[in-house]
Amino acid sequence: MSQMEPEVRSFLQKIGWTIGAGLFWLLINVLVGLKWGYAIWETGHELRSILFYVWFAGSLFLLIRLFYYWWKKNFSE
């Protein structure tokens, strides 16, 4: 099929999955936070804004853990 070395293919897969997951995470947070207004403090502390920032921090932590897991494992296995 492919004339690519397995190590190079695995490396490019990791890059592709990392960029894709990062952009998807960013798209979700921009949509919810800016487009729907959950990240904007309008009249003081609102529960929806607090929940958005808790979601943001938690999902960022999980995304970084996912990246760490992906880059530690070998995709060709």
Side-chain angles (χ1 to χ4, degrees):
M1 286 205 156
S2 176
Q3 301 299 325
M4 198 179 304
E5 294 287 329
E7 295 85 18
V8 175
R9 181 181 174 91
S10 175
F11 182 69
L12 290 176
Q13 266 186 322
K14 289 177 186 181
I15 290 173
W17 279 101
T18 301
I19 290 173
L23 287 176
F24 184 69
W25 175 84
L26 189 62
L27 177 75
I28 289 173
N29 284 301
V30 167
L31 176 70
V32 173
L34 297 179
K35 177 78 172 147
W36 293 341
Y38 286 92
I40 300 168
W41 301 93
E42 294 175 354
T43 59
H45 298 297
E46 296 178 7
L47 180 62
R48 66 186 191 133
S49 294
I50 293 170
L51 289 176
F52 170 74
Y53 283 107
V54 168
W55 155 258
F56 182 83
S59 65
L60 179 61
F61 174 74
L62 292 175
L63 183 71
I64 291 171
R65 282 190 58 184
L66 179 66
F67 289 166
Y68 182 77
Y69 172 74
W70 280 347
W71 282 90
K72 285 295 179 186
K73 85 172 203 176
N74 189 358
F75 269 36
S76 62
E77 292 178 348

